[in-house]
Amino acid sequence: MVVIGAGIVGCAIGVALQRAGLEVCVVDQVGPAAGSSSAGEGNLLVSDKLPGVDLELAQHSLALWRALAEEIGEEIEYEQKGGLVVAHDEAALQELVALAAAQRAEGARATVLSGPELAAVEPCLSREVAGGVFYDDDAQIQPMLTVAALVRALRRSGGRVVGGTEVRGATHAADGRVVGLRTSAGPLGVGRAVVNAAGAWAGEVATRLGGYVPVEPRRGHVLVTEPAVPLVAHKVYESDYVASIHDERHGFSVSAVVESTASGTILLGSSREFVGFARDPSAAVRAAIARRALGLFPALAGLRLMRTYVGFRPATPDRLPVIGEDVRAAGLFHATGHEGAGIGLAPASAAAVVSLLGGGDPGFGLNAFSPARFVPPR
Ligand SMILES: Cc1cc2nc3c(=O)[nH]c(=O)nc-3n(C[C@H](O)[C@H](O)[C@H](O)COP(=O)(O)OP(=O)(O)OC[C@H]3O[C@@H](n4cnc5c(N)ncnc54)[C@H](O)[C@@H]3O)c2cc1C
């Protein structure tokens, strides 16, 4: 099997396929974690998932992360710290409470907190917020360490990870099945099948291979503070974050997301905009993120920023991942389109790919993620 893309999704798939008895080669145009997997925050969230298939996939993935954390949790800085979602006014709080009730009905652990309870959970949080919901299951990992750990696991079990290999096209059998790849390092047979896990580049890769997935890069900024005494205990974010995932394309949207890391820095997010692969951080977006974060934690004003980085979320039109075989190119499977949740959803996506290749029931439905739901524009 060949997997295209050595990000967290491709590497998780590589490990799962190898464990299922297949022989795997993961190829990347650069190398492990060269794409979005080194430009995100590392949250494993149920709190931002809508009830239904979205939440179900996240819950399965979290269970898989927990199992993995028992083996290598320290290596990847796994921490089940919990997530706190806060609302600034009564109307937003009512919406948040309603969402939490629907998530709770599907098994999420979510507790509504009022002013004094919020202060007990998150002492440096602004007293101006109207209320919040605490999600016990939200967790965090360090994505780059995790990709490195997956690469080691894959190599230990006999799989290969090859950098510097850009996939440029495909060779097809008479019936249209993808049987080989044209790469910058020469031709490559794909064996049983090929998995497109090229993240924000997956749309382009699909086209090169004769298939179709409408994945676009959705840019996000993260601001990193200098290491500080712990002033943020959990992942804390504003309730309009969920709406910002699902909103339409106009300008940029910002919703504050604040969390500390094991190394003491504090990560401030989060923005969303469709500007292609533009890499230079925007001063306006940076300022908006800083302003919103200060609204949640006024004490951040005493810290300096060390750096800002941007990354590209692989976004589909309906904001759900695409996992399944391409209807136009047999033998080509896609596992992409995870938007701002690819770190969290990587293990369940890997389980889904194994299942699609004959490895049994993954324990959750896959229909909603089928590539067949998208039709290319004429
Ligand atoms: C600011 C920001 C914050 C985020 N925070 C979180 C978070 O807290 N939690 C979470 O779950 N998710 C988060 N995300 C989303 C997450 O980062 C992505 O969903 C995830 O990294 C996607 O992983 P991937 O393996 O699919 O893609 P990538 O990591 O981008 O890997 C794709 C790989 O494909 C390779 N590639 C591309 N084209 C080719 C080609 N033609 N040939 C060969 N190789 C190719 C690239 O080099 C790249 O290494 C965040 C994203 C951003 C931008």
Side-chain angles (χ1 to χ4, degrees), residues 5 7-9 28-29 36-37 40-43 165 167 199 311 339-344:
I8 198 152
V9 173
D28 197 289
Q29 59 188 0
S36 310
S37 298
E41 281 152 278
N43 296 297
T165 305
V167 173
E339 220 267 3
I343 311 292

Side-chain angles (χ1 to χ4, degrees), residues 67-92:
L68 198 66
E70 301 218 333
E71 289 172 44
I72 55 164
E74 213 165 305
E75 241 176 273
I76 62 174
E77 296 182 2
Y78 176 89
E79 194 183 350
Q80 193 180 319
K81 54 167 52 170
L84 178 63
V85 187
V86 297
H88 287 290
D89 56 44
E90 206 43 47

Side-chain angles (χ1 to χ4, degrees), residues 3-11 27-45 48-49 65 139-141 143 147 162 164-168 183 196-202 204-205 208 218-222 235 241 257 259 269-272 309-314 335-346:
V3 178
I4 304 168
I8 198 152
V9 173
C11 290
V27 296
D28 197 289
Q29 59 188 0
V30 184
S36 310
S37 298
S38 56
E41 281 152 278
N43 296 297
L44 317 176
L45 302 183
D48 66 341
K49 304 299 184 298
W65 273 124
Q140 189 179 7
I141 54 169
V147 172
V162 182
T165 305
E166 181 195 347
V167 173
R168 293 179 173 162
T183 82
N196 172 15
W201 296 267
E204 168 65 22
V205 167
R208 289 182 185 187
R218 197 176 194 192
R219 188 167 82 157
H221 287 60
V222 176
K235 177 198 170 69
Y241 178 82
V257 176
E259 70 202 297
S270 168
S271 62
R272 283 179 155 77
Y309 59 82
V310 301
F312 303 98
R313 301 179 185 89
T336 183
H338 299 88
E339 220 267 3
I343 311 292
L345 300 179

Side-chain angles (χ1 to χ4, degrees), residues 219-223 252-254 270-273 281-291:
R219 188 167 82 157
H221 287 60
V222 176
L223 283 51
F252 66 84
S253 64
V254 169
S270 168
S271 62
R272 283 179 155 77
E273 55 188 332
S282 144
V285 175
R286 202 161 45 183
I289 291 175
R291 214 170 16 249

Side-chain angles (χ1 to χ4, degrees), residues 2 9 16 78 122 151 158 173 198 222 231 321 342 354 366-367:
V2 174
V9 173
Y78 176 89
E122 205 58 68
V151 168
V222 176
L231 66 88
V354 170
L366 292 177
N367 288 347

Side-chain angles (χ1 to χ4, degrees), residues 9 12-13 16-17 57 60-61 64 195 321-325 333-336 338 345-367 369-370:
V9 173
I13 291 170
L17 288 173
L57 186 68
H60 276 271
S61 221
L64 293 171
V195 182
V322 193
I323 309 170
E325 190 168 14
F333 289 74
H334 303 290
T336 183
H338 299 88
L345 300 179
S349 304
V353 170
V354 170
S355 158
L356 288 164
L357 286 160
D361 181 1
F364 51 91
L366 292 177
N367 288 347
F369 309 118
S370 167

